[in-house]
Amino acid sequence: MKSTGAAAQATKRPVNLTLSESTVEQARRYTNNLSATVDGLLAEFIAREAQAREEKRQLYAKVSEAWNRFDERYGTFGSEHSPL
């Protein structure tokens, strides 16, 4: 995994991670720069999570719009029984 663009030029700071020894040993077979690899994977995770949350937000907005249209057309459930 190569660092590209903004991630490669971003300010870096040390953090502590606790990783499984065996996972680190295996990862070292595939990369000489574990920090860059973890940074890239974390950036991908963040992008996927942001996309998933945006999709969920859009779904909720559609459901809300559909419910509002239903309410405008048919009224609220139980409104004929309201004590007010």
Side-chain angles (χ1 to χ4, degrees):
M1 174 171 296
K2 294 182 179 179
S3 295
T4 59
Q9 300 194 6
T11 302
K12 308 284 184 185
R13 75 177 186 102
V15 298
N16 290 325
L17 293 175
T18 304
L19 304 171
S20 149
E21 230 179 286
S22 63
T23 302
V24 171
E25 287 175 14
Q26 292 175 34
R28 293 264 182 229
R29 295 180 195 149
Y30 301 105
T31 183
N32 291 328
N33 190 340
L34 188 57
S35 292
T37 302
V38 170
D39 191 51
L41 291 169
L42 189 55
E44 290 174 13
F45 169 78
I46 291 167
R48 280 194 316 270
E49 283 297 310
Q51 179 66 34
R53 288 180 184 203
E54 177 59 20
E55 289 171 2
K56 191 178 281 190
R57 187 200 63 75
Q58 289 177 7
L59 173 63
Y60 291 161
K62 287 180 183 178
V63 169
S64 179
E65 289 171 15
W67 184 255
N68 288 337
R69 284 192 306 272
F70 179 89
D71 186 49
E72 288 172 9
R73 185 170 183 183
Y74 300 106
T76 305
F77 291 121
S79 60
E80 61 199 45
H81 303 290
S82 175
L84 300 176

